[in-house]
Amino acid sequence: MDQERLLAAVLLADVVGSVPLYERIGDDAALRQVSDCLDAIREIVAKHGGDFIYSKGDDVLSLFETPEAALRAVCQIGGQMTKEPLIVRIGLHFGAVIRARGAVFGDVVNVTARLSATANPGEVLISQSFFEALSADSRGTLRLLDKMAFKGKQELFDVYTLRSDDGAPSTHVVNRGTFVDRRSAPPPRINLVIRYEDQLRSCRNNELVTIGRSPECDIVVQRPWVSRHHATFTISNGKARLVERSSSGTFVSMGSGQDVFVRREDILLFGSGVISPGRRSTLGDAQILRYEIIPG
């Protein structure tokens, strides 16, 4: 298989807002608007020397030879596509990628996708390696947002965003369980222990433990009503959270015995309790995960 390894700036732009648009104006009209938005992004990418790789759904992935060119493209995208109903959120990263079979692969691509998925609509999240590869003048157009933990990595990474006077919307720190607030006092050290059947995982400060049907998850729950990537346990700022992103939802019980249903939202965890993906915990076929928070 022919493949090429190269250093590149990776840009992943994700168009959000299409789902309610389809519901409101119908498939044909919504598809035209989404397609126009994606085409406009591709044109901006080409204008700044970027190489369009693919568009999957509402995502556009592109490569640039230099971070400077990618940053110029992002500033133009941010200046033109920040109005509802369709808004773009963007991740930028820099490093070694592998080009093969008309696509790109590697950890850099995965981290870029994580940055894009974490960004708010209208927001750009930029990695530390991208920032460090920029010229001094270009670095001045960015500001440090906070630190971010990536699954499978021990260290925290600085994450940057565009300054609000660059034509992009101002950003604010969001607590999605992956950011570490550098302005607060040192958080208490805790350990989150999760048990499911014969599987046992431990989550400490700034770490992630994923659950789902996919073999890639840290805790695998093989049931048809469990999403491939169902939810994530995480600890940040000394607080434990369940980040729920499934289609079927999750039932959470924390000591009181009463189930709380969450879907596509984050919930703080306290003490010890029970997590039941997709089914109420009292049902016979429910898959029960037990958690306990202990001093770390």
Side-chain angles (χ1 to χ4, degrees):
M1 179 180 64
D2 293 336
Q3 65 182 44
E4 177 188 14
R5 183 181 294 272
L6 67 156
L7 279 175
V10 184
L11 185 161
L12 182 61
D14 180 22
V15 178
V16 295
S18 62
V19 173
L21 187 65
Y22 277 102
E23 294 177 351
R24 190 173 73 251
I25 66 176
D27 291 350
D28 293 338
L31 179 59
R32 284 194 296 271
Q33 288 195 31
V34 173
S35 297
D36 289 345
C37 186
L38 295 175
D39 288 344
I41 294 174
R42 292 182 61 173
E43 290 177 5
I44 293 172
V45 166
K47 175 183 175 182
H48 294 279
D51 189 0
F52 169 78
I53 303 300
Y54 65 68
S55 178
K56 291 184 178 180
D58 296 341
D59 290 349
V60 174
L61 180 71
S62 304
L63 295 185
F64 293 79
E65 290 186 4
T66 67
E68 310 285 344
L71 186 61
R72 288 193 294 269
V74 163
C75 288
Q76 185 173 351
I77 293 171
Q80 294 184 9
M81 302 179 187
T82 57
K83 295 182 179 180
E84 295 183 353
L86 297 177
I87 305 178
V88 179
R89 58 184 181 184
I90 297 174
L92 281 175
H93 194 21
F94 180 78
V97 299
I98 298 174
R99 293 198 68 166
R101 298 179 300 189
V104 291
F105 304 89
D107 186 58
V108 169
V109 179
N110 297 333
V111 171
T112 308
R114 176 64 174 160
L115 288 166
S116 176
T118 305
N120 287 322
E123 186 177 51
V124 182
L125 292 186
I126 300 166
S127 73
Q128 182 176 339
S129 64
F130 188 98
F131 174 84
E132 291 173 349
L134 290 169
S135 67
D137 287 344
S138 294
R139 290 181 186 180
T141 67
L142 308 182
R143 67 180 179 89
L144 181 63
L145 183 61
D146 224 298
K147 285 186 176 288
M148 189 174 182
F150 289 102
K151 181 179 179 295
K153 299 184 183 298
Q154 297 298 319
E155 57 189 311
L156 299 175
F157 294 87
D158 288 334
V159 175
Y160 297 81
T161 189
L162 297 175
R163 292 188 181 275
S164 58
D165 56 0
D166 290 329
S170 60
T171 57
H172 56 279
V173 176
V174 292
N175 195 343
R176 295 172 180 243
T178 53
F179 283 106
V180 181
D181 187 350
R182 63 176 64 235
R183 296 165 296 181
S184 60
R189 299 183 65 85
I190 61 174
N191 186 19
L192 176 62
V193 179
I194 307 108
R195 297 178 175 85
Y196 169 66
E197 296 183 343
D198 61 346
Q199 302 179 55
L200 175 66
R201 292 291 185 274
S202 178
C203 181
R204 296 184 182 274
N205 282 310
N206 309 316
E207 295 180 347
L208 307 172
V209 173
T210 57
I211 63 173
R213 201 173 68 249
S214 171
E216 300 174 352
C217 292
D218 298 312
I219 296 179
V220 179
V221 183
Q222 286 286 3
R223 292 297 185 276
W225 59 83
V226 177
S227 296
R228 286 182 56 80
H229 298 277
H230 197 94
T232 301
F233 293 97
T234 183
I235 296 177
S236 179
N237 287 338
K239 297 178 181 179
R241 295 177 184 272
L242 179 73
V243 182
E244 219 287 345
R245 292 296 181 264
S246 76
S247 56
S248 57
T250 299
F251 290 88
V252 181
S253 176
M254 290 182 279
S256 65
Q258 181 177 0
D259 283 344
V260 175
F261 180 72
V262 294
R263 181 163 55 194
R264 304 293 175 93
E265 58 183 314
D266 301 359
I267 184 171
L268 281 173
L269 300 176
F270 301 97
S272 60
V274 168
I275 306 293
S276 179
R279 290 283 195 275
R280 192 176 292 276
S281 60
T282 53
L283 297 179
D285 58 354
Q287 301 302 297
I288 303 299
L289 291 83
R290 302 185 184 278
Y291 79 85
E292 182 179 7
I293 301 171
I294 58 179

